Each structure stands twice: as structure tokens, then as C-alpha cells.
Amino acid sequence: MNQIKLNTPIQKSHFCDFDFYIKRDDLINEDFSGNKARKFYYYLVNDFPNVKKLVSYGSNQSNAMYSMSVLAKMRGWEFEYYCDHISSYLKENPNGNYKGALENGANIIDLQGLPRPFLETKDDILYIPEGGYIQEANFGIKLLADEITEWIKLQNGNNFKIFLPSGTGTTALFLQQYLNYPVYTCACVGDEDYLRSEFLGLESDEKLHPKILKTTKKYHFGKLYKNLYLLWLELHSKTMIEYDILYDPIGIETMINNRDVFGDSNVIYIHQGGLKGNITMLERYRRKYGH
Ligand SMILES: *Cc1c(COP(=O)(O)O)cnc(C)c1O
């Protein structure tokens, strides 16, 4: 697994009377997929002769943590990752991204509520902030934008709009910078003001920001919502594609409920991977609601 091929297909899809295209970034690679593969691609293909260790922090089931563990393994770096809290249940029954990261040799440190140490890139240490909220992400996201532009050139007409759900907003922001088509997104972590401030942290010119569409209701990230679970199940059975269960049901719901915004444009939805994170979320959903 030392070569990662990008250039994923764009396919026709249909859901809830809405026709759209889907960019299959979930297919990049089983272990290094989706937008984290794009965001960390810079660190995969460039030379870092001094780096021996990657450090980061975030939640104990984050997709970014798992992807960084894959990156560190491929590069032969140590990987040290700080979490505010890890339950004793998870420690005794590792699964999902947490288990995968451990299997890749990650040293996951439970801060047990104590303040996080000061982390920075220094000497032989490379520091990547939570969720890959970094300027360097533009390197891999430009390649995503180029693939989309090339594909659109081969279609009849160029009336296209892009939609993708956001966490830190890094992917949506850089995508808009490199695409001549409008990029729409919605906030899945925090609210629209949070997302706007995240955009501003990477790009001060608001004219270059993606457009934020309002979600149908206010969702708290990582919490269980029966309507999102049912939507995810229906998506799976009707499109035969496994979507991420944290971001995609909110994204698809927002896209479809805002169909008027897209008018007669063709919409490309970006599937941003993250399927390893589904394991723990699905267990929680099944325990609560059954199949
Ligand atoms: C990380 C992640 C996102 C959010 O990406 P941002 O660049 O932080 O907005 C969306 N979907 C999936 C599946 C992810 O893993």
C-alpha cells in the first residue's frame, strides 16, 4: 500500500426525486480515502527528511486520526495522538477508527480531561491540527478540483454546481478556490457562524468562500438522530452506495431540501469517505433503534 491513486469516478445518482452526480472519493483506497486522503496528500508525496514523528489531537473516533495513522505508517513515522477522553469501554473493546489507528501503531494518549500539551511542528516532529485544518490541504484538494474540472469538460454543457457537507470547512473552501463552479456546503460540526469563522481562518476574502446552506434542523455532531439513521439506511438500499453516517445524511438532506437553490444546474455531490467511522456509529444506532 505505498501508492495511492487518486482520480476517482463521477457517477449518476438519484434519490428522493433528485438527480445528481456523485464523486466517489470513498473509492480512493480502503485505508486512505475520502477528503482526508486529499487533505493529507501533501504529506504523503513530499519529502520531509527530518520528520520522525507525527503528532495531532482530536476525538477518539475521528476519521482524521485513522487517516493520519495510515499516513504515519506509510511514511515510517511514529504517530502520537492526544484525546481529551477515552472511555474504559472503548479501551477494553476497541473498534472503528480507534481500533484501526491502534493497529497501525498509533500511540493514543488519554488526557483524562487534563489540558492538552502545547503541540507544534519542530525539529523532527510534524504537527497536524485537529481534523486537518491546514493550508497544506490545498495541495490535494486542488487535485480533486482538477479532476472535477476535467470531467465537466467532457460533458455536454457546463452548468454545474458542487455540494459537500463540512466539518472544519477546509475541503469546501479549497475546492471553491480551485473550481470555476459554485461550491455549496452545510455545517455539520457547530453552526453556520462557526463554519464561517473556519473559512475566515483559511481565507480572509469572503467572496472566495463557499455558500453555506441551512440544515433542516440544528444537529449536534456525533449525536444520534432517528431521521438521519433512517435516511442513511434508505440511501444505502436505494443507491447501493455506503455513505458516511456522520456527515452525509445531513449533507444529502440539506442538498435535497434546497433543490430550488440549484435550479436546473447539474449537482455533483462529493462522497468524502470516512466509512471506518460508521462501525461505531452503526453499533450505537442499532442498540438504540434496531435495524
Ligand atoms: C473530515 C470529514 C468531513 C469534513 O471535512 P472538512 O474538510 O473538515 O470540512 C466530511 N465528511 C467526512 C466523511 C469526513 O471524514
Side-chain angles (χ1 to χ4, degrees), residues 197-265:
S197 70
E198 291 286 283
F199 287 158
L200 281 172
L202 295 170
E203 168 58 61
S204 57
D205 186 350
E206 285 181 48
K207 288 201 285 297
L208 303 176
H209 290 182
K211 294 175 187 62
I212 302 175
L213 299 179
K214 269 205 161 62
T215 55
T216 316
K217 63 183 217 188
K218 197 170 159 34
Y219 294 110
H220 293 274
F221 191 65
K223 265 190 144 182
L224 305 185
Y225 295 91
K226 192 167 188 181
N227 64 311
L228 297 182
Y229 179 46
L230 295 177
L231 181 67
W232 182 87
L233 287 171
E234 197 186 343
L235 262 173
H236 201 170
S237 66
K238 295 227 167 110
T239 66
M240 304 303 286
I241 293 172
E242 182 177 355
Y243 283 83
D244 153 81
I245 198 167
L246 270 173
Y247 298 87
D248 283 327
I250 303 176
I252 294 279
E253 182 182 73
T254 305
M255 175 176 77
I256 286 175
N257 287 344
N258 285 280
R259 61 178 78 196
D260 292 350
V261 171
F262 301 111
D264 59 359
S265 300

Side-chain angles (χ1 to χ4, degrees), residues 35-36 39 63-64 131 165-172 244 247-248 272-274:
N35 75 352
K36 303 304 179 296
K39 285 159 101 167
N63 295 333
S166 279
T168 65
T170 312
T171 312
D244 153 81
Y247 298 87
D248 283 327
Q272 301 177 85

Side-chain angles (χ1 to χ4, degrees), residues 80-91:
E80 197 170 274
Y81 185 85
Y82 293 85
C83 296
D84 289 337
H85 178 73
I86 307 173
S87 70
S88 47
Y89 179 82
L90 184 59
K91 281 182 194 164

